[in-house]
Amino acid sequence: MSTTGATADPLAALGSLPGVADSVESVRKAVDRVYGHRIMRRRSNEITSEAALRGARGSAALSGADWALEEVRRRTDFSAEDEARTVGAALRLTAEAGQLLSIWRQSPLRVLARLHLVAAADRGDAVGRPRQSGEEVDEPLVELPLPDADEVAGRLEGLSQLIIAGGSAPALVTAAVVHGELIALRPFASHNGLVARAAERIVLIGSGLDPKSICPAEVGHAELGRAAYLAALDGYVSGAPEGMAAWIAHCGRAVELGARESAAVCEALQRGAA
């Protein structure tokens, strides 16, 4: 997205797009419902752990490794083949995200570099830094136009400034923009989708919308399907108001589905305790 223009807070301005306020309110209600579940008072750590596992599985599925949840739960070696490495990277990112909350608001670019380092530790000197001019990007499931390295650097700096400045934008709007911008830019040589979804998670947790990380948007993105995900991203990349609003609504629906998933986990734990 462009980070220049007449408004001093472009993220907040996105909150006034048609339909966005409804998405924000719907997400808030969905999150409040799962946080209000009686099982959360006694077993919230279990819900958080299960949400992390399911979120990692969903993110990996969108990056081409669509494994059954029980396979992710069972497997211990994630180094054997490409899909296994993708799942392993998603699991590492989900675990790392919660450790970076205190750094995010002061140095988002440092956090993004760390996320890429965690995801792509075996990629040599291209790890943990934005791609340079002429470097290829390994992101085969995303076919959007690829900005050059200079544009990437400028837009990353603009995004960083917006996050550091804060503002009044709803958490959903900020999370959707961070996610969409990172996919649009693909600033790293690999693992950009995984990093983008981990960054979305950090925003949702750090904003206070989902402080216990029990509403995994990645689950919802995977449930809505890759085709819908890519179509919504097209809307974001277009920069048109209706396209931006559609992407934010898509991310909102993903959070709602993540909340529904954790509500189902709560219900299962409650039945088991009865």
Side-chain angles (χ1 to χ4, degrees):
M1 65 175 291
S2 171
T3 58
T4 61
T7 177
D9 191 351
L11 293 180
L14 293 175
S16 65
L17 292 175
V20 170
D22 290 340
S23 294
V24 169
E25 180 62 20
S26 184
V27 165
R28 167 54 65 190
K29 288 179 178 178
V31 172
D32 285 348
R33 279 194 296 272
V34 69
Y35 271 86
H37 198 287
R38 60 184 297 181
I39 208 75
M40 283 292 296
R41 292 195 295 271
R42 296 181 288 112
R43 303 177 70 174
S44 64
N45 288 343
E46 292 176 66
I47 308 302
T48 296
S49 295
E50 188 65 20
L53 184 71
R54 294 173 185 234
R57 192 217 73 82
S59 190
L62 287 170
S63 288
D66 192 0
W67 287 15
L69 180 62
E70 291 310 313
E71 176 64 12
V72 179
R73 200 189 304 279
R74 180 193 67 80
R75 184 74 73 96
T76 57
D77 180 10
F78 295 97
S79 62
E81 67 276 347
D82 286 347
E83 286 194 7
R85 286 192 290 271
T86 296
V87 175
L91 289 166
R92 292 193 301 273
L93 284 173
T94 301
E96 187 75 10
Q99 310 302 314
L100 298 171
L101 295 173
S102 63
I103 305 172
W104 174 254
R105 286 295 297 271
Q106 286 74 42
S107 184
L109 297 185
R110 181 179 162 197
V111 169
L112 293 176
R114 173 62 185 171
L115 290 173
H116 188 250
L117 180 66
V118 168
D122 59 347
R123 293 286 180 131
D125 62 1
V127 169
R129 62 160 176 78
R131 56 186 168 86
Q132 299 171 357
S133 180
E135 287 184 330
E136 296 184 356
V137 174
D138 180 13
E139 205 75 40
L141 301 178
V142 178
E143 298 180 355
L144 298 168
L146 188 67
D148 63 31
D150 288 340
E151 181 179 351
V152 167
R155 287 172 61 175
L156 279 179
E157 181 59 32
L159 182 65
S160 175
Q161 289 174 6
L162 285 177
I163 293 166
I164 292 170
S168 59
L172 172 64
V173 172
T174 303
V177 168
V178 167
H179 184 168
E181 191 73 352
L182 291 174
I183 295 285
L185 295 178
R186 278 145 293 160
F188 302 108
S190 64
H191 297 84
N192 290 286
L194 295 176
V195 168
R197 291 184 288 274
E200 178 185 44
R201 172 182 284 266
I202 288 173
V203 174
L204 294 172
I205 300 169
S207 67
L209 177 64
D210 182 20
K212 293 183 182 294
S213 192
I214 60 169
C215 302
E218 305 97 322
V219 167
H221 285 304
E223 185 172 336
L224 291 167
R226 190 181 300 142
Y229 182 71
L230 295 176
L233 279 168
D234 281 340
Y236 177 85
V237 172
S238 76
E242 61 272 18
M244 298 288 287
W247 169 247
I248 294 168
H250 184 89
C251 290
R253 182 60 179 149
V255 176
E256 290 181 56
L257 290 171
R260 186 181 72 178
E261 183 91 352
S262 285
V265 173
C266 288
E267 289 294 323
L269 288 174
Q270 183 167 285
R271 288 193 298 271

